[in-house]
């Protein structure tokens, strides 16, 4: 077998603007997806492969929104209060009798409205004595009645294909009588951490070493997307080891995510290994932090080579890998919401890359952490979102800046 030689002359091309990079990546995100049925207990975070249809009206019958008394409008005096006898008691879950003419029914929240009744009077407005039930005047037709089908109609489409199911979605499915949904089989994402300096948490501290934070973080990020992690483990900083690990990952996953080894140093082997097993399609983004992000294919399987610095790995994952994975999973890609908020800081040195600052938004204004080192992950954990500083922008204190809450990027 001839030995494969690592390519070393990767041309330093102009950096790719963030929006352009995302557009290119999304255009390349395609795979064949299988469909499976899951019950609602296992549906959280999964992506719908078929539109679920309501099996019943919700609520399924007119019901009372109050504890009180059900009455027919026709039994009420035209002017003033009305006294009527009580004919039945209807609790939630009961199957009521039609309301006897000229009577009222005691009724409780969620109980079905009896046939013939068309208003419910809350119990606080009613008094009861030997003469009967005293009802106030000015009662409105249909008051305190939640009509059948107010929320959903039988046959209504509940969610679109591609919806990633969240708690409220699952509640809605349950309300409409649906027990199982068709979802896309969860993608398998292979992760690998390059770096001879990496120790795993639990290992004893050792000279020259650092604990592997990216592995645990990526595992969590992938799980949050409802996908399966295939952990290829730690990879030594050699061309041969990197190549071997990538080939293995390509055989068992729909997508590979590596960290580290994408810069220009002699110890960075991801680009050459990808190139030797497929193609390096994209490298280096006009982004801070996260410039060295690489993307390509290994034996046909897509790979994101995230930078090794943990804050860069997190931000490139959020900006690029996450929407890409959502699309690959058959999901609808939604741009993260950002908000214009007041800058409690100034940024006077215009940068040539789009910058994402870990920051805390509080009480109407946003303040970035002073130290934005890409090696610092603690600030990403303490921040509640990212400030976006456009290329060439200068920001004065009190100006409006774009802020993306982490809830938009990490769920
Ligand atoms: P690299 O991209 O391989 O040059 O790594 C850049 C920096 O990130 C170096 O300081 C590495 O030690 C650090 N680094 C790389 N991978 C990890 C990791 N998995 N966990 C923590 N730090 C890392
Ligand atoms: Mg390295």
């Amino acid at each position: 077998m001839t030995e494969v030689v690592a390519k070393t002359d990767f041309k330093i091309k102009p950096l790719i603007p963030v929006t352009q990079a995302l557009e290119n990546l999304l255009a390349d995100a395609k795979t064949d997806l299988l469909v499976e049925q899951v019950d609602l207990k296992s549906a959280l975070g999964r992506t719908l492969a078929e539109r679920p249809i309501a099996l019943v009206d919700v609520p399924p019958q007119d019901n009372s929104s109050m504890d009180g008394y059900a009455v027919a409008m026709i039994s009420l005096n035209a002017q003033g209060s009305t006294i009527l006898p009580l004919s039945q008691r209807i609790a939630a879950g009961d199957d009521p009798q039609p309301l006897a003419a000229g009577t009222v029914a005691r009724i409780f929240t969620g109980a079905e409205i009896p046939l013939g009744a068309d208003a419910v009077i809350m119990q606080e407005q009613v008094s009861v004595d030997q003469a009967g039930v005293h009802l106030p005047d000015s009662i409105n037709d249909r008051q305190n009645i939640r009509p059948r089908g107010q929320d959903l109609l039988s046959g209504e489409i509940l969610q679109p294909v591609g919806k990633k199911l969240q708690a409220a979605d699952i509640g809605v499915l349950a309300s409409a009588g649906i027990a199982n949904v068709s979802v896309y089989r969860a993608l398998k994402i292979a992760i690998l951490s390059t770096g001879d300096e990496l120790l795993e948490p639990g290992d004893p501290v050792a000279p020259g070493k650092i604990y592997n934070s990216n592995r645990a973080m990526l595992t969590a990020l992938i799980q949050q997307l409802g996908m399966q992690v295939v952990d290829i483990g730690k990879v030594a900083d050699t061309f041969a080891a990197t190549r071997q690990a990538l080939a293995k990952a390509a055989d068992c996953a729909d997508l590979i995510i590596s960290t580290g080894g994408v810069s220009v140093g002699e110890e960075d082997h991801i680009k050459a290994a990808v190139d030797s097993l497929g193609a390096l399609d994209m490298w280096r983004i006009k982004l801070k932090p996260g410039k060295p992000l690489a993307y390509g294919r290994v034996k046909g399987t897509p790979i994101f080579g995230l930078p090794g610095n943990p804050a860069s790995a997190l931000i490139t994952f959020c900006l690029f890998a996450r929407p890409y994975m959502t699309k690959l999973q058959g999901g609808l890609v939604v741009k993260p919401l950002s908000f214009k908020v007041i800058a409690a800081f100034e940024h006077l040195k215009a940068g040539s890359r789009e910058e994402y600052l870990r920051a805390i938004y509080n009480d109407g204004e946003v303040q970035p952490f002073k130290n934005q080192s890409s090696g610092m992950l603690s600030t990403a954990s303490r921040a509640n979102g990212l400030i976006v500083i456009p290329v060439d922008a200068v920001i004065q204190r009190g100006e409006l800046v774009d802020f993306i809450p982490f809830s938009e990027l990490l769920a």
Side-chain angles (χ1 to χ4, degrees):
M1 219 168 66
T2 51
E3 202 190 327
V4 182
V5 181
K7 175 175 162 173
T8 49
D9 57 339
F10 289 97
K11 280 221 181 67
I12 301 289
K13 293 191 221 150
L15 301 182
I16 307 159
V18 170
T19 2
Q20 177 74 59
L22 183 59
E23 225 171 80
N24 296 353
L25 287 168
L26 290 178
D28 202 45
K30 288 180 209 108
T31 194
D32 294 330
L33 292 163
L34 298 174
V35 174
E36 63 188 17
Q37 293 274 318
V38 291
D39 70 17
L40 293 191
K41 283 196 293 296
S42 314
L44 182 65
R46 304 297 299 274
T47 302
L48 282 176
E50 277 171 32
R51 305 181 301 186
I53 309 275
L55 299 178
V56 290
D57 293 338
V58 182
Q61 54 283 119
D62 289 0
N63 71 62
S64 177
S65 66
M66 293 285 170
D67 292 325
Y69 294 82
V71 68
M73 294 296 287
I74 200 165
S75 308
L76 299 171
N77 293 329
Q79 239 121 57
S81 58
T82 307
I83 305 175
L84 295 173
L86 188 68
S87 59
Q88 65 174 315
R89 182 182 186 276
I90 313 164
D94 288 349
D95 182 9
Q97 295 299 313
L99 185 66
T103 72
V104 295
R106 181 73 169 116
I107 197 162
F108 298 93
T109 304
E112 180 168 346
I113 304 292
L115 202 70
D118 39 30
V120 170
I121 301 105
M122 60 197 289
Q123 62 190 30
E124 291 83 348
Q125 296 175 351
V126 170
S127 59
V128 184
D129 60 19
Q130 274 162 356
V133 180
H134 297 242
L135 304 173
D137 62 2
S138 58
I139 292 166
N140 296 317
D141 192 24
R142 309 291 300 169
Q143 75 175 33
N144 301 323
I145 293 177
R146 299 189 286 219
R148 170 180 180 158
Q150 176 185 50
D151 191 2
L152 296 168
L153 292 174
S154 174
E156 192 172 331
I157 295 163
L158 299 177
Q159 288 122 6
V161 168
K163 177 93 207 259
K164 181 173 169 249
L165 293 172
Q166 302 295 4
D169 303 324
I170 292 171
V172 164
L173 291 164
S175 77
I178 294 169
N180 298 294
V181 279
S182 289
V183 295
Y184 292 118
R185 178 186 66 75
L187 292 179
K188 291 197 180 98
I189 314 293
I191 59 168
L192 46 97
S193 324
T194 74
D196 289 338
E197 72 278 36
L198 300 179
L199 289 177
E200 292 308 315
D203 289 348
V205 228
K209 309 287 188 197
I210 186 167
Y211 285 117
N212 184 352
S213 40
N214 290 336
R215 184 188 201 174
M217 179 170 69
L218 276 181
T219 300
L221 286 165
I222 294 163
Q223 285 170 342
Q224 275 185 330
L225 289 179
M227 300 173 192
Q228 281 176 25
V229 176
V230 182
D231 195 344
I232 304 292
K234 202 179 87 171
V235 182
D237 284 325
T238 66
F239 176 64
T242 309
R243 223 173 156 262
Q244 201 184 5
L246 289 186
K248 182 176 165 196
D251 287 341
C252 63
D254 301 292
L255 171 71
I256 307 166
I257 302 184
S258 65
T259 58
V262 283
S263 296
V264 289
E266 289 160 33
E267 299 284 332
D268 296 321
H269 300 287
I270 288 285
K271 301 190 306 296
V274 171
D275 180 74
S276 75
L277 292 165
L280 183 73
D281 299 326
M282 200 177 88
W283 180 44
R284 303 209 327 147
I285 316 291
K286 219 173 190 177
L287 169 67
K288 186 178 178 185
K291 179 170 80 173
L293 175 72
Y295 171 80
R297 287 196 182 249
V298 171
K299 297 163 80 186
T301 304
I303 172 166
F304 278 89
L306 306 185
N309 275 308
S312 308
L314 177 68
I315 288 173
T316 49
F317 181 94
C318 291
L319 297 184
F320 300 108
R322 183 178 182 273
Y324 181 99
M325 290 160 77
T326 301
K327 172 132 188 259
L328 203 64
Q329 183 66 92
L332 301 164
V333 179
V334 183
K335 194 171 178 238
L337 290 177
S338 69
F339 300 90
K340 292 272 183 209
V341 300
I342 296 169
F345 65 100
E346 54 186 20
H347 176 90
L348 301 177
K349 210 171 136 222
S352 59
R353 291 181 276 158
E354 190 162 306
E355 199 168 347
Y356 288 75
L357 305 174
R358 282 148 275 162
I360 294 185
Y361 171 80
N362 183 36
D363 213 10
E365 48 178 44
V366 69
Q367 178 81 60
F369 285 90
K370 280 222 163 51
N371 192 334
Q372 291 285 330
S373 162
S374 54
M376 283 176 68
L377 195 56
S378 62
T379 47
S381 164
R382 290 177 184 139
N384 56 14
L386 297 171
I387 296 168
V388 188
I389 309 275
V391 174
D392 292 334
V394 164
I395 311 285
Q396 305 289 346
R397 196 178 296 273
E399 255 182 58
L400 292 178
V401 286
D402 284 316
F403 177 75
I404 311 176
F406 269 143
S407 53
E408 283 297 305
L409 295 169
L410 297 177

